[in-house]
Every structure is written in C-alpha cells, then in structure tokens.
Amino acid sequence: MKGGQYIFGSLVDLDEILCSISKYFMILAFVRIKVNLAMPSVLHHLLFLMILVPSSAVAQTNGTIAVGASLTATDSATPWLSLSGDFAFGFQQLGKSDLFLLSIWYHKIPEQTITWYANGDNPAPGGSKVELTADRGLVLTDPQGELTVISDPVVGSVAYGTMMDTGNFVLANPASESLWESYNHATDTILPSQTLEVGGVLSSRLTETNFSRGRFQLNFVANGNVELATVNVPGVYKNEPYYSNGMKAGSDSTTYQLVFNRSSYIYISGNNNQNFALSQGELSSGLDFYHRATLNFDGTFIHYRRPKTTLGNESWSALWSIPDNICVRSFVSAGSGACGYNRICRLNIDHRPECECPRPFTLRDPNDDYSSCVPDFIQSCQNGQEPAESLYDFYAVTNIDWPTSDYELLQPYDDDKCKASCLHDCMCAVAISGGNRCWKKKLPLSNGRVDNTLNKKAFIKTKKSNSPSQNPGSSSPSRKNQDTVILLVSVFLGSSAFINFVLLGVIFLGFVLIYNNKLTRNRKGESGLERNLRCFTYRELLHATNGFKEELGRGSFGIVYKGVVEMGSSSLVAVKKLERIQDGDNEFKTEVNVIGQTHHKNLVRLLGFCDEGAHRMLVYEFMSNGNLAGFLFGELKLSWEQRSQIAIGIARGLFYLHDECSNQIIHCDVKPQNILLDDYYNARISDFGLAKLLRMDQSETHTAIRGTKGYVAPEWFRNMPITVKADVYSFGVLLLEIICSRRNVDMEIGEDKAILTYWAYDCYLEGTTDALVEDDMDAISDQKKLRRFLMVAIWCIQEDPYLRPTMKKVLLMLEGIVEVTAPPSPSPFSTIRRN
Ligand SMILES: *[C@@H]1O[C@H](CO)[C@@H](O)[C@H](O)[C@H]1NC(C)=O
Ligand SMILES: *[C@@H]1O[C@H](CO)[C@@H](O)[C@H](O)[C@H]1NC(C)=O
C-alpha cells in the first residue's frame, strides 16, 4: 500500500477489480454521453452503455460509489454496500440517541458488528451528510455546516470509491490507483487481507457501545513485536506494555509487517523470510466464516469468527486471544491494570476480564462497569484524637491481591501482627498476609486480581462508622466540611470580640448553606437512580431467562429465575415473577419506584421491571452465593468472622430501609431465605418493599400477617400497629440463628433447646453461652463479641415493641460502639414459658 500505489495484487479479488474497472468506464461513458448527445456516434455509446447496464442498474449496491454521491444520517438511510453485500459503509445510529457513527459493518448478520469507524470521538448528529468529493475524498458535514474531511490527506483527484467485499473502503484516482483506504486507518479491528505496517496502531473503544478512544492500544513496533498497552486517556501517554509477543529482532535492516492473510492466519512477516505466527491452533476455514481480530474495550485482542449463514443461532466465537490472562501483569510499573483503580480482575471463560469492587469500595460511576472503585474513606495522617482501634476496622477477603501497590514488606509477621501494623499506620490501606509475610499497600490499588492459588488474606481497612449507611463516595464532601470548620475555629480563636461576633454569624449562615446544599444533592441523586430503572418487555425477559428455565428459588411472591440481559455488557440477573400481588396498577408502579430509589451495599439492587398486562416481574442483580439459609442450616458453614460481618451487614441494610431512604420501608419478612450473599459473602437483603403488594386485606394493616412463622413479631397477632420494630424482632431471631448456625425452631435437638429464643435466653442467664455455638472455636475464643451479639439479639426479641431498640442502636451495639446493657426476659407476660 506504500506510496499510494494501488496494485491489483494480493488484496483484491479479480472480479472486484473487473467490476471497479467497468464502473470506471461506465462513469466515463456517462460523462461522454452528456457531451456527445447531439453527435451521430450516440448510438455507439448507447450500445456501449447497454453492455454495462446489468451492473450499473444497481449503481449504489455493487460496491462502487461515484463522486458526488452522498448519504444522510437518518435511521432509515440505505448504506453503500459491497458487491456481495457482506459489508456496508454508512451511518450507524448509536443506541437510541440522535448520534450516528460513520462506519463499516457486516451487513448480512443481525448482530451489529462494526469493523471500522471514522468519528468515534465525535459522533455525527442526525441529518449530517457524508459526501464523496473529487478534491477532498470523503467529507462529513453536520447540519450546522461544520465540515470534517474523513479521508485526510488525499493527494490527487478522486474518481470513485469502492466498498470492497473484504471490508476495505478504497478511494481511487482516474487511473484506478488507490489514494486512500480504510485499511490503512484501522480503528480497533483488522480483517483478513489487511496488513499493519510498523508503527501501526489499533485503539480500543471506550465501552462496547461507546466508540470514543478507549484505554487500550495495540502497537506494531519496529522490532516486529505486537505490544498491548494501556493509555492514560485523555492524554496519549502509553504505559509499559502488558503483552508483547517477545520476538527477537533480526538485523536492523529487517522490516516487518503484521499480516492477516486471506486464509485468516495472523502472523508477523519479516522481509528476511522469517514468519512468526500470532495465530494459535489450526488454520480455520475462511469460506463459510467471517473472521475479524479486534482489540476489545477491555484490553483483550481476540480473533473471532462467525458462520456467514444466519440460519443457526451461532454468533461470534473466539478462536484465540492474547494475552492469556489479562488480569496478571508481570512487568507493569504504572497504570491501573485491566480494570480501574481499587478494583479486582477475574478472568471469565472467554478469557476476558470481569472487574469487581471488593467491599467496602464502591463503583465511582455506577453507569460504567469499568470505571475505578472508590474507598469508603481516605485516612488522614494528622494526629488522631482517638485510638485507631475505635476508628478503624478491616474487611477480610481471601485470595485477592494488588501485586503492584506495596510500599512495605514485613517478615516474619502473622495475620494479627500484619493487621495491627496496618491499623496503626495511617498510610496503610490494605494489608496482605500470607506465608508469614505481610505486605502493606497504599491507595490507589492497581492491578488487582482474584486468584484461588494465592493463599493470601487481604485485610482492607475501613472506617468504623457512627452513621453506618453513609453514602458510598460521600466521604470527601463531609471531610471538606470538617476542614472548613477547623479553619473557621482557628480564625475565631485568634481574633477580637467584634470580629468573633461577625464570624459567628458567618458560621451560622455557612452551616445553613452547607445543609441546604446537602439536601439538594441528595434529591438529585435520587431522581438519577429512578431513571436508571429499565423497563423490560415480556419478550425480552422470556428470552433473557431462556423461557423461564432455570429456577433459583420460590418465595412468597412467586418464582425467581436466572437470566442474562444486556446492560452495557451482558450481566447475570435474577428475574422474579410476581404472582400473588395486588391488581391495582398504581400500587405496583409506586412500589417499584420506591424500591428503585434505594441504593445501599447491603441491599440487592433492583435493575428493572416488567409491567405488561398480567406479567409483573422484577429484575434484580444476580447473587452468586445464594441465600443465607443454605449456609446456616446446610453442610457448608460460614466462619464466625463471616457470620458476624453478615449480621452487621444485615443490620446496616435494615437501618437504611428504616431510617435513611426517602420512603421508610418496613421489610415485614426478614429471614435467612431473604438474605442473599454476593461473591464476597456480603449480606444483601432482598424482597424488601414488596410487603405492600401482597394480595391480602389491605385496609387493616394489623390483621394481615405478612411474615413467616417463627420470625414474625408478637404484635402481628395482637391488635397493635405494625412498625419498624416488627423488623427488629425478626432481625433478633435471625441474629440468634446466625450466632448458633441453626434454625429458630428445631424439634430434633431436644426439648429444652428446641425453641431457640427461649434456649438462648436460658444460656444467657446461666452464663453458658459456649453451648450455643457448640464447637465453633473461633466464636468461643471471641467471648466478648459472642456475648455482645447474644445480648443484642435478646433486646431485639422483646415482646414489647417499645423495649426493642431501633436498628440504629442495634448496629451501634453490634459494632461495640455503644455499650449493651443487660436485657430483660424477652417474654415477661407469656404463659408458654417453661420453668
Ligand atoms: C462516550 O463516553 C464519553 C466519555 O465518558 C462521553 O463524553 C460521551 O458522551 C460518550 N458518547 C456517547 C455516544 O455516549
Ligand atoms: C496464510 O498463512 C498460512 C500460514 O503461514 C498459510 O498456510 C496459508 O497458505 C496462507 N494463506 C494465504 C492465502 O496466503
């Protein structure tokens, strides 16, 4: 392709060439006819034309585009097709927006697959026009008349353009020499018959559907190596490559090409006749399949193929990919890694990375699955007033590591010493402990990954909070406010009485302003979330769940199915088919909206809903570890530490539902089956907000019992109003189950132990708490916490709702921030009580 020579060589099919030539003569013929119309030779020309008619009748679909032709960006515009119709050039609408991407795509298959694009960073508004001009080639004009030359630079005069069957768009001069080719301006994909010269670059898009320049680059460098590297966007600086094919360079005079040949084999070819295969495995048939190699937005470079026929339901599948494991980075010094900062990377079966936020980190941009995670706080190193023990705590996670974020290695250090060292070090964000070594890590953490062979424990520092459901990421504004106060106070102390008086006024005003600010910020946040709920059609969910095939569980409201939906990228979901619910239209909408507005790390997130005729469904994020009942009463047991974290998590979630979300939500059915566990065994409450939808007598809140036997509070059976304290009762029962890893009623255990609530109180009175946890040594050696949890549980199951603490108090007591006083007997009036 060098020097603009359009050689009819290896890259072009013979019939394609013939076609181009005949098209060219056809255009010339038209020109001459105009000039010669009155001349006697007109007959001759007509004859000449008739010979060409079969190919020129479909002027815009046989691959050749005449100068002067144009396309307008609308959703119904017909693109310029290649001769076979395999490829199309034109505008692709971006989602449902009024923005269009000038691009090349596979025309015959249903999945939108774009192989080249011109304006990823600047999609064109509807009504824009692309025109093939003689002097400047392809020119894009937006409705305001703003003009962009796409095929820059074109030297010479353009005679026509061709959309080739290979996926290459070529501009040629009257001598049929190539002036410009899309192949020489590759974006994120290369195709069979395409080569990349030294210096060639592929650049990933930002996300699957956003074609702005992304974070990854493939560079074909002078020594013949293919290198993959992250780029610090929006700049152009490249970090060290995370992949290189490690070819030893030949002599300095050797030049290389990266070749994707017509048999769909990718290799590096040196002019010293040495080839280095990038392709892995056998040659794959090129005839019945489309092939492409794409640098994905997640940094993987994958050779895909797809049957040309659309008869089966087979789509693109990967033949091979590099790197082997993008989550593992061996020689990278800077950059976040495949996932953003403070994230961890897990390789899925397609060899593509999945990025996760380990608790207590949260996603900075909930709409971008690949953004960074933010910590729940950032520790300052100013002299603290309180001891670190009362301020900070750790989340323990196994088998994750951020190998490039160390600042200190201590040895020999066991888990406890490692934790303690991190606790008292204001610069330490995470301690990783394993094999008697202790690595202390600093923020932001990079190159994080999950690896089950690591045998390491990660302790992530978190702030013990008095306001437990503090919004994720909101720590910086409150920190700022604190600083403001400190500043004001110091000015205050150093000035005269009059100035102080004025200052007092200013401070007061300041507080009013800050408070108001907070209010408006909160309101904005909520309306944003509400809009995030997606409305699914029945068909979509039928498809997503593969015809409601895989059942995840049954609850009071209907059956829950597993499914996969496209939301940015495809994600697993749980689809709850509601059955026993109210008919009222508004009720459903109202409740869905209320649920949609909740956002807390200990609640299962509602992603969308379906409200179509009789079909009422809720779509939730999928929780990989199932529900808590499976772990409390089944074979697999959770450790004491995990159980305590789960109990605290549930308390946080309930506290949020009761006190912190804009519409108070009483759960009414707190039980282990409604507590789900995510990948890290974090407790996530489900089924909240649904109680009001149950088809029962709606008029009398106190007569319709909506809970589950064994967990419902006594007031359900009495003529008393149902308040948040009903949930506190159920939580108390659940907490006992969590402590003891057994059901609240178990007739097989022995009469005196059968009813857990009674037995637990007996044990508490008699000081035999160890009996409750049987041989759980971790719990027994953690007496203080065990007793504290037990006392909190007994407070929660008080028969008198007014004696039960609020969830806020419960949380503070569980965390050991507030002292727990001795609880009275849970059921002073009950006659059922034995002894
Ligand atoms: C793509 O992402 C960029 C950066 O976040 C954003 O500015 C742009 O609006 C997005 N484009 C589209 C079409 O959504
Ligand atoms: C493509 O490369 C492979 C491997 O070098 C070779 O076997 C095949 O013949 C080549 N195909 C073409 C059309 O050059």
Side-chain angles (χ1 to χ4, degrees):
M1 293 314 108
K2 275 188 171 159
Q5 280 295 356
Y6 188 42
I7 298 153
F8 296 143
S10 60
L11 299 188
V12 192
D13 281 328
L14 193 63
D15 42 347
E16 222 166 67
I17 298 161
L18 287 178
C19 165
S20 306
I21 296 170
S22 63
K23 265 327 295 171
Y24 171 53
F25 281 119
M26 189 213 68
I27 294 161
L28 284 189
F30 269 122
V31 173
R32 286 176 66 183
I33 275 191
K34 271 190 187 154
V35 179
N36 298 344
L37 213 53
M39 294 195 168
S41 62
V42 72
L43 204 68
H44 162 84
H45 281 106
L46 276 179
L47 260 177
F48 179 56
L49 252 189
M50 274 163 69
I51 297 165
L52 287 169
V53 154
S55 65
S56 64
V58 276
Q60 294 215 333
T61 56
N62 69 355
T64 303
I65 293 91
V67 165
S70 68
L71 284 173
T72 305
T74 64
D75 49 6
S76 59
T78 356
W80 293 335
L81 298 184
S82 70
L83 186 61
S84 63
D86 282 338
F87 284 94
F89 177 101
F91 289 102
Q92 280 271 344
Q93 194 168 9
L94 290 176
K96 292 193 170 89
S97 71
D98 187 38
L99 292 175
F100 292 81
L101 191 68
L102 185 62
S103 52
I104 296 174
W105 65 92
Y106 293 92
H107 184 64
K108 289 181 175 170
I109 58 175
E111 313 91 296
Q112 184 195 60
T113 311
I114 290 174
T115 59
W116 180 85
Y117 43 93
N119 57 340
D121 287 321
N122 285 306
S128 299
K129 202 171 102 176
V130 65
E131 188 177 356
L132 184 58
T133 64
D135 53 342
R136 287 191 283 192
L138 290 167
V139 176
L140 180 65
T141 320
D142 74 10
Q144 275 72 48
E146 192 79 33
L147 196 141
T148 321
V149 179
I150 299 297
S151 51
D152 206 24
V154 168
V155 183
S157 169
V158 176
Y160 61 95
T162 310
M163 181 69 251
M164 313 256 258
D165 281 336
T166 52
N168 192 7
F169 191 86
V170 181
L171 299 182
N173 66 12
S176 285
E177 290 165 337
S178 160
L179 300 177
W180 182 92
E181 302 181 25
S182 64
Y183 264 16
N184 293 343
H185 300 84
T187 49
D188 61 356
T189 297
I190 53 173
L191 298 170
S193 81
Q194 188 165 4
T195 55
L196 223 51
E197 306 291 336
V198 163
V201 176
L202 299 185
S203 184
S204 72
R205 50 184 94 154
L206 195 61
T207 67
E208 196 68 51
T209 50
N210 185 326
F211 293 79
S212 291
R213 192 165 59 96
R215 290 175 41 229
F216 299 92
Q217 242 180 40
L218 177 152
N219 294 280
F220 187 54
V221 296
N223 61 11
N225 275 312
V226 169
E227 293 181 346
L228 302 178
T230 50
V231 182
N232 298 340
V233 279
V236 295
Y237 180 78
K238 284 199 303 279
N239 295 301
E240 282 169 69
Y242 56 90
Y243 170 88
S244 168
N245 56 292
M247 189 165 86
K248 282 212 181 65
S251 68
D252 281 351
S253 59
T254 317
T255 57
Y256 298 91
Q257 274 188 322
L258 179 62
V259 179
F260 196 162
N261 81 7
R262 294 182 150 251
S263 326
S264 304
Y265 209 74
I266 304 183
Y267 59 91
I268 294 150
S269 148
N271 63 355
N272 55 359
N273 285 327
Q274 281 186 349
N275 287 354
F276 178 95
L278 215 55
S279 284
Q280 299 156 20
E282 300 285 298
L283 265 186
S284 143
S285 148
L287 289 179
D288 306 326
F289 290 89
Y290 291 126
H291 286 263
R292 69 184 163 96
T294 301
L295 177 64
N296 289 307
F297 71 95
D298 56 21
T300 52
F301 182 64
I302 300 190
H303 180 169
Y304 292 97
R305 74 167 188 189
R306 184 201 191 286
K308 287 188 177 171
T309 163
T310 51
L311 288 178
N313 49 10
E314 201 181 329
S315 181
W316 292 103
S317 59
L319 286 177
W320 54 267
S321 70
I322 50 175
D324 268 348
N325 183 348
I326 194 170
C327 297
V328 180
R329 313 283 292 278
S330 43
F331 51 100
V332 170
S333 58
S336 68
C339 298
Y341 291 105
N342 303 326
R343 302 204 72 166
I344 51 177
C345 178
R346 184 195 294 271
L347 203 66
N348 72 16
I349 45 168
D350 302 327
H351 278 250
R352 296 184 66 171
E354 274 170 19
C355 300
E356 297 163 1
C357 284
R359 189 172 165 195
F361 299 145
T362 45
L363 202 54
R364 187 168 59 191
D365 177 359
N367 296 319
D368 179 2
D369 283 343
Y370 289 81
S371 68
S372 293
C373 300
V374 284
D376 57 342
F377 78 107
I378 291 178
Q379 190 173 353
S380 111
C381 282
Q382 280 166 346
N383 282 338
Q385 326 73 12
E386 288 174 73
E389 283 82 358
S390 62
L391 290 175
Y392 308 110
D393 205 347
F394 291 95
Y395 283 113
V397 206
T398 49
N399 291 332
I400 70 173
D401 195 8
W402 287 275
T404 58
S405 307
D406 304 345
Y407 66 91
E408 195 162 77
L409 173 60
L410 301 165
Q411 190 182 9
Y413 259 53
D414 63 10
D415 290 0
D416 286 339
K417 270 173 84 181
C418 189
K419 242 159 87 168
S421 167
C422 185
L423 180 69
H424 294 284
D425 181 346
C426 66
M427 283 174 289
C428 180
V430 171
I432 305 257
S433 170
N436 240 358
R437 290 170 157 218
C438 171
W439 291 264
K440 292 203 283 182
K441 313 258 173 187
K442 59 189 189 302
L443 291 173
L445 304 156
S446 56
N447 292 295
R449 68 187 164 105
V450 185
D451 183 341
N452 294 335
T453 63
L454 280 171
N455 267 329
K456 289 178 185 169
K457 273 189 197 154
F459 299 102
I460 305 174
K461 199 190 265 180
T462 180
K463 197 170 189 148
K464 281 189 177 168
S465 57
N466 298 357
S467 56
S469 65
Q470 196 182 53
N471 247 339
S474 70
S475 51
S476 43
S478 66
R479 175 173 303 277
K480 216 185 265 162
N481 294 349
Q482 255 171 28
D483 290 350
T484 323
V485 172
I486 291 167
L487 184 75
L488 283 176
V489 168
S490 36
V491 174
F492 189 80
L493 292 176
S495 39
S496 77
F498 172 72
I499 295 176
N500 280 348
F501 189 73
V502 174
L503 267 178
L504 265 180
V506 170
I507 291 171
F508 178 72
L509 255 175
F511 271 118
V512 170
L513 282 180
I514 287 167
Y515 183 70
N516 275 344
N517 238 330
K518 256 194 179 146
L519 278 185
T520 39
R521 199 170 33 231
N522 284 347
R523 275 195 214 111
K524 267 189 202 147
E526 274 167 18
S527 63
L529 279 169
E530 203 178 325
R531 266 185 276 114
N532 277 347
L533 274 192
R534 177 162 149 196
C535 179
F536 290 90
T537 64
Y538 178 71
R539 280 188 64 86
E540 273 176 306
L541 293 184
L542 189 72
H543 181 72
T545 55
N546 201 0
F548 300 105
K549 210 166 175 187
E550 191 177 341
E551 195 176 310
L552 291 173
R554 283 161 190 263
S556 18
F557 307 97
I559 305 174
V560 188
Y561 299 92
K562 189 171 172 177
V564 182
V565 297
E566 287 291 326
M567 303 192 68
S569 58
S570 59
S571 33
L572 287 175
V573 293
V575 179
K576 188 186 289 272
K577 245 179 152 176
L578 300 177
E579 275 157 12
R580 299 172 45 210
I581 63 159
Q582 293 288 327
D583 290 330
D585 248 359
N586 288 334
E587 193 83 26
F588 180 72
K589 287 243 165 61
T590 315
E591 287 313 303
V592 165
N593 248 327
V594 169
I595 301 169
Q597 282 173 30
T598 60
H599 186 52
H600 189 271
K601 61 187 173 195
N602 293 111
L603 302 181
V604 176
R605 181 102 183 263
L606 182 69
L607 303 173
F609 62 95
C610 164
D611 185 10
E612 204 179 283
H615 300 297
R616 298 264 172 82
M617 285 178 257
L618 296 175
V619 180
Y620 291 97
E621 57 183 335
F622 177 76
M623 291 291 127
S624 54
N625 276 316
N627 72 47
L628 183 57
F631 288 95
L632 288 184
F633 316 136
E635 287 298 303
L636 279 169
K637 296 287 182 201
L638 295 166
S639 71
W640 168 243
E641 176 64 27
Q642 281 173 317
R643 297 206 308 279
S644 354
Q645 286 304 328
I646 287 169
I648 290 176
I650 302 168
R652 284 203 176 109
L654 285 175
F655 166 58
Y656 172 83
L657 290 176
H658 291 175
D659 289 339
E660 296 242 305
C661 55
S662 45
N663 297 283
Q664 184 184 64
I665 295 177
I666 307 178
H667 191 297
C668 293
D669 200 11
V670 177
K671 60 179 177 182
Q673 288 78 6
N674 282 338
I675 308 299
L676 304 184
L677 299 177
D678 67 15
D679 292 356
Y680 308 102
Y681 297 94
N682 295 315
R684 309 279 292 260
I685 301 173
S686 78
D687 263 10
F688 55 90
L690 296 180
K692 284 196 183 153
L693 292 176
L694 265 190
R695 187 184 294 154
M696 281 193 197
D697 182 0
Q698 282 286 298
S699 55
E700 297 273 311
T701 341
H702 27 260
T703 52
I705 297 175
R706 302 222 177 91
T708 301
K709 217 177 120 211
Y711 300 90
V712 296
E715 55 266 32
W716 285 105
F717 305 103
R718 301 187 181 141
N719 199 15
M720 289 168 84
I722 295 304
T723 67
V724 289
K725 294 294 183 70
D727 281 351
V728 176
Y729 182 92
S730 309
F731 175 77
V733 179
L734 175 61
L735 180 57
L736 287 177
E737 292 183 324
I738 293 174
I739 295 171
C740 310
S741 287
R742 58 156 277 196
R743 287 176 205 281
N744 68 67
V745 180
D746 189 343
M747 290 306 175
E748 280 164 20
I749 292 188
E751 203 193 335
D752 55 336
K753 299 178 182 172
I755 312 283
L756 182 56
T757 48
Y758 299 155
W759 181 48
Y761 185 63
D762 290 347
C763 289
Y764 164 72
L765 281 185
E766 290 156 15
T768 54
T769 40
D770 289 0
L772 289 169
V773 292
E774 279 188 0
D775 45 9
D776 187 339
M777 290 318 291
D778 285 350
I780 290 171
S781 61
D782 197 3
Q783 268 309 314
K784 252 170 80 185
K785 195 203 268 176
L786 176 58
R787 210 169 152 75
R788 191 166 77 223
F789 272 38
L790 179 60
M791 284 158 75
V792 173
I794 296 171
W795 270 114
C796 292
I797 55 171
Q798 292 295 316
E799 231 177 77
D800 181 355
Y802 299 103
L803 285 181
R804 291 175 217 150
T806 61
M807 278 319 293
K808 178 171 187 177
K809 182 100 184 275
V810 167
L811 187 50
L812 294 176
M813 292 192 293
L814 287 178
E815 287 182 321
I817 295 166
V818 167
E819 197 70 29
V820 195
T821 54
S825 167
S827 42
F829 329 110
S830 180
T831 49
I832 320 162
R833 193 100 173 80
R834 298 149 308 116
N835 306 346

